């Protein structure tokens, strides 16, 4: 995903927090679903990709 069009990690975390409340799931589950919606298998892989992009 192009850096200019993708949401920030903070925004994704806020989305996960909202999803947690709305869906009645754990925070970890919400983060996982957010990651999957953005094409990653896990939150950790999404975060690693964001951090790698930030260093380039």
């Amino acid at each position: 995903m192009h850096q200019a069009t993708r949401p920030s990690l903070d925004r994704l975390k806020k989305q996960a927090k909202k999803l947690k409340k709305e869906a009645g799931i754990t925070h970890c589950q919400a983060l996982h679903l957010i990651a999957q919606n953005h094409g990653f298998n896990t939150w950790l892989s999404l975060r690693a990709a964001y951090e790698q992009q930030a260093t380039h």
Side-chain angles (χ1 to χ4, degrees):
M1 187 181 300
H2 189 271
Q3 188 173 0
T5 61
R6 70 180 187 186
S8 69
L9 281 177
D10 285 339
R11 184 176 178 102
L12 294 177
K13 288 177 186 178
K14 287 177 184 176
Q15 288 176 359
K17 188 174 182 179
K18 182 179 177 185
L19 179 61
K20 173 188 168 187
K21 289 179 183 178
E22 291 176 352
I25 60 177
T26 68
H27 187 66
C28 288
Q29 290 170 320
L31 290 171
H32 184 75
L33 289 172
I34 294 292
Q36 288 183 327
N37 287 340
H38 289 276
F40 295 89
N41 290 330
T42 66
W43 174 258
L44 291 177
S45 60
L46 181 148
R47 191 178 74 191
Y50 270 63
E51 290 171 354
Q52 180 181 9
Q53 194 72 2
T55 61
H56 286 70

